[in-house]
Amino acid sequence: MSAEVTLLGVRHHGPGSARSVAAALEQLRPDAVLVEGPPEADPILGLAAGKDMVPPVALLAHAADDPARAAFWPYAEFSPEWVAIRYATGLGVPLRFIDLPAGYAFADAADQDGDGDGDGDGEDGENAGLPRDPIARLAEAAGHDDPERWWEDVVEHRRPGDGEDALAPFAAVAEAMTALREDGGAGLRDERREAYMRQQIRAARRAGHQRIAVVCGAFHVPALAAMPTVAHDRALLAGLPKKVRTEVTWVPWTHRRLSHLTGYGAGIVSPGWYRHLHRTDGDPLPGWLARAADLLRAEDHPVSSAHVIEAVRLARTLAVLRGRPLAGLTETLDAVRAVMCDGSDVPLALVRERLVIGDALGEVPEAAPAVPLQRDLARLQRTLRLKPDPAPRDLDLDLRKENDAARSRLLHRLRLLGVDWGVPARSSVTSTGTFRESWRLCWQPEFAVRIAEAAQWGTTVERAAAGKAVGTARAAVELAELTGLVETCLVAGLAEALPAVMRVLADCAALDTDVAHLAGALPALVRALRYGDVRGTDHGALGEVAAGLADRICVGLPPACTGLDAAGAAAMRGHLDEVHGAIGLLDRADGPAAGLADRWAATLRALARREPSGGPATGVPGLLRGRAVRLLLDDGRLDSAEAGRRLGLVLSAANSPADAAGWIEGFLTGGGALLLHDPRLLGLLDGWLTTVPAEVFTDVLPLLRRTFATLEAGVRHTVGSRVAAGPLDAGSAEPVVQDAALDPARADAALPVVALLLGLPGAAGESGDHPRIPRQAEGRDT
């Protein structure tokens, strides 16, 4: 290679390589810098010179007509390529990326390096040919069994001395790599990449540059040094597919995504540690251990300055015992575990998470190319004061506040677009109102790709979410999917998309005759209706669709429950409970749902009467009949005497034990306190259990154990105590709670206190978002 071209072979994301590159560039003073990277990014490399560009950042390239075909090229402040980019842009030196264009990789059917990053870089790309792991082979030749530790000793911890030739390390690395590549060449993809790099080096020489510095992976140095003929390189590149038009921009990156633990092939285990090495001119050990002490103290661990001093001594001693020139990360963590963590790995895991890896999030300037959707999202993030943060955090929203309601709509719209920046979480604040939402926020760099993909639906977050909702509705095949989409449109405030989604929902509901599908769809619609008071949405059409579904369920439920097997009965019981709760919320004194509760009660009575007459296939399973009776009893539409009579019939000798056990499960699910309040029911159950034949008892025992296991611990204990106390007379025992007449005046006096406890409107001058619950029977609801 001509003396005017200097090859600087590096290891990606290595602070030692970064320091060496900085020193070499200062010594060379090149008039052109060529860096291994996608040439499509050349027009935006100048943005790296600004103060608004804060690493870690990444180049994002994607196919213009298919943003899902994308690739990232991440850079940290300790990346050698980033050091070269900053040097060139800061001094105005011509800078070019010389790797094979990303458009060729996007044209391939699959990423040949298999790491999914599309760039062929890093350790997966470096090892795409033979030898598979150059660093491991070099470490083995040096007598070391740990390649990472060996590389850290000879490169990352090395600091150039005064008067030392800054190019000497690169000459040594080039010599080692040349020896390794004599055993075998690279794969076809790497050969093509190297051929393209050589073409770019020739182009730089033809442009008249006299001092050219090339920063590339060390594995490529021998191929770039031995320059073959132009015809040879053209022949290699002749087999490339047609290049795809590609768009490139800068996006923020994180240290966590730099870590190889997240799947990036060129990642490193300890980006936080490497950044500390890069920033520290002297001994990095005391400063890093002081930071570890600060972190542990902030988490209430008793760590003092004496711990830091002792940890420094221990780490240095371990390095001497292990024959290392300086204490590395292994010795440092061993010292932290022994001195600061009392030998525990639990606080050490915190140090690894926060300091060894870290959660640093880069920044890119507003001038960086971006799709309009990305710009609108950035505007909303600023307006709503929602800063993207890679560290998970909880966010509680009060939807009665305008800013919080806008935040909620944004997070729901992004979830609809596949950007799960926020995920609904359980609130730390106890509340029964629909005005409160809780989210778990965590920003991921990959969201940039999903935003680019979502740009096909619209130029703003609202329009894109509305377009995606309509498109999803038209492609939906399940009724439950559509009802869930309607709910999402309401909470996301997508009034533009709701009519189109509702039309598809109405058509699908009219054609769907499966009661299970209808029952699975109704709860989501009813939940959506509850958002109207807080969010100010118009849900008149939604109420009509929900009432129509409920009426069809009332008509079709008894036949649909006939002849079900055990699995089908269990699934239908879940639908039964959900529909019961939904109808309780949907019932209104007027409107399309008027009288719905009465029609539902009639359906439950019909369900409870459908007992098998000629085998299980001729009636409703006991699980569902028992559940229907319990729901009627809880609603006050069936008294305890009638419930006891039905239980007695089910537990009679004429009925099969398996059917009776299923009936008991359905009846007792959700609470067994009624067995304590009505000893007659407990007596009936105890009497039946003692008469079950031995050969049948084994079959029904698992079902009974499962039923009683769902009861509260106190109920199980009290039931056991009463049964153990002696025989229970099912015929003579009287219920503890009688249906005695209540004094309306005394009951009304308690209503304000009950309303205050439940957060209902009308409580002591308080106004809320819950509708007042009417008393449906005099004295019963109090």
Side-chain angles (χ1 to χ4, degrees), residues 576-577 580 600-601 603-611 620-650 663-664 666-669 674 681:
L576 197 64
D577 288 341
H580 183 76
W600 175 246
T603 300
L604 292 178
R605 291 191 183 96
L607 201 64
R609 289 194 299 266
R610 291 206 172 196
E611 301 179 358
V620 174
L623 176 68
L624 300 179
R625 301 198 322 274
R627 193 63 193 150
V629 171
R630 176 61 183 274
L631 294 177
L632 290 169
L633 179 64
D634 289 345
D635 273 2
R637 297 180 180 273
L638 197 70
D639 57 30
S640 60
E642 177 62 18
R645 186 187 72 82
R646 290 176 181 269
L647 176 62
L649 292 175
V650 169
W663 199 97
I664 294 170
F667 186 71
L668 295 182
T669 297
L674 74 168
L681 297 179

Side-chain angles (χ1 to χ4, degrees), residues 456-472:
Q456 61 178 307
W457 299 106
T459 57
T460 66
V461 174
E462 181 178 1
R463 290 183 179 178
K468 178 67 178 297
V470 174
T472 302

Side-chain angles (χ1 to χ4, degrees), residues 380 383-386 397-410 413 435 534-535:
L380 291 171
T383 302
L384 301 177
R385 298 187 298 277
L386 276 177
L397 300 177
D398 186 342
L399 301 181
R400 296 171 296 187
K401 299 178 180 178
E402 183 178 352
N403 190 67
D404 280 3
R407 287 177 170 183
S408 173
R409 289 192 294 270
L410 173 62
R413 290 169 180 174
F435 61 83
V534 175
R535 301 175 185 267

Side-chain angles (χ1 to χ4, degrees), residues 161 218 264 440-441 586 612 634:
Y264 173 59
R440 182 77 165 172
L441 302 185
L586 186 62
D634 289 345

Side-chain angles (χ1 to χ4, degrees), residues 339-352:
V339 178
M340 299 183 183
C341 302
D342 295 326
S344 173
D345 285 334
V346 176
L348 183 65
L350 181 66
V351 175
R352 290 183 183 274

Side-chain angles (χ1 to χ4, degrees), residues 170-259:
F170 297 104
V173 170
E175 183 180 357
M177 288 297 173
T178 301
L180 287 178
R181 291 194 61 162
E182 288 177 353
D183 295 339
L188 177 60
R189 184 162 184 266
D190 271 340
E191 289 180 353
R192 285 174 170 172
R193 293 175 60 204
E194 291 161 354
Y196 191 88
M197 292 182 199
R198 289 191 292 264
Q199 283 192 342
Q200 301 309 304
I201 294 173
R202 295 187 185 101
R205 297 175 64 180
R206 288 196 302 270
H209 297 296
Q210 300 300 313
R211 300 181 307 280
I212 303 171
V214 180
V215 180
C216 63
F219 184 71
H220 302 301
V221 169
L224 301 186
M227 188 75 73
T229 63
V230 175
H232 174 272
D233 289 343
R234 288 178 178 173
L236 275 175
L237 298 174
L240 288 171
K242 183 180 179 181
K243 185 168 63 173
V244 173
R245 189 168 66 89
T246 304
E247 296 178 354
V248 184
T249 186
W250 289 103
V251 296
W253 206 248
T254 66
H255 276 180
R256 189 167 305 281
R257 291 302 298 165
L258 279 172
S259 170

Side-chain angles (χ1 to χ4, degrees), residues 542-553:
L542 186 60
E544 294 180 1
V545 174
L549 286 181
D551 283 334
R552 293 175 61 191
I553 292 172

